[in-house]
């Protein structure tokens, strides 16, 4: 995004693709993960003043909004589809935890 308005529009478009459902604990529990990655770029003077040029600074900012996890007792009264969805969310949270741990260990 080159402007704050473009960035806001991108966030709104991503938000529309996320799924939230009512749970016993939360009225709107997110059922999907969201990952945002921003590569920071610096403006560069271009030979042709009509064109905007950028150069990567090498900096990257990552934001993660995780789906809510549920304990087994919270899902006692869910239908099969909801139970399967909760299992997938919990599995992906464990996988993400492994990735973060390995990254912290320098793998």
């Amino acid at each position: 995004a080159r402007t704050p308005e473009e960035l806001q529009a991108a966030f709104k478009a991503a938000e529309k693709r996320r799924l939230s459902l009512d749970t016993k604990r939360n009225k709107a529990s997110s059922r999907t993960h969201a990952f945002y990655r921003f590569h920071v770029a610096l403006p560069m003077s271009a030979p042709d003043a009509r064109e905007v040029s950028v150069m990567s600074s090498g900096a990257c900012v990552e934001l993660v909004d995780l789906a809510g996890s549920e304990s087994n007792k919270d899902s006692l009264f869910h239908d099969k589809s909801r139970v399967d969805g909760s299992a997938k969310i919990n599995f992906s949270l464990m996988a993400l935890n492994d990735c973060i741990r390995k990254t912290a260990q320098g793998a």
Side-chain angles (χ1 to χ4, degrees):
R2 294 186 183 272
T3 66
E5 293 78 17
E6 286 179 2
L7 183 60
Q8 187 174 25
F11 273 117
K12 285 183 179 185
E15 183 180 13
K16 288 180 183 178
R17 292 190 298 265
R18 295 200 66 197
L19 175 65
S20 292
L21 296 173
D22 187 16
T23 65
K24 295 276 185 203
R25 291 187 184 199
N26 299 302
K27 285 279 186 201
S29 178
S30 59
R31 311 316 295 158
T32 55
H33 305 309
F35 293 87
Y36 303 96
R37 179 177 286 161
F38 302 95
H39 294 274
V40 180
L42 304 170
M44 246 174 54
S45 48
D48 183 352
R50 293 176 291 178
E51 290 198 23
V52 176
S53 184
V54 294
M55 175 181 71
S56 173
S57 69
C60 178
V61 177
E62 294 178 340
L63 303 175
V64 180
D65 183 6
L66 300 174
S69 65
E70 293 184 25
S71 69
N72 289 333
K73 70 179 181 180
D74 290 334
S75 57
L76 285 175
F77 303 104
H78 291 171
D79 62 16
K80 181 174 176 11
S81 173
R82 194 65 150 319
V83 171
D84 290 347
S86 293
K88 288 178 182 176
I89 288 170
N90 289 339
F91 180 79
S92 65
L93 289 171
M94 290 187 323
L96 180 61
N97 183 42
D98 288 342
C99 291
I100 292 169
R101 184 179 294 121
K102 289 182 193 277
T103 299
Q105 292 171 348

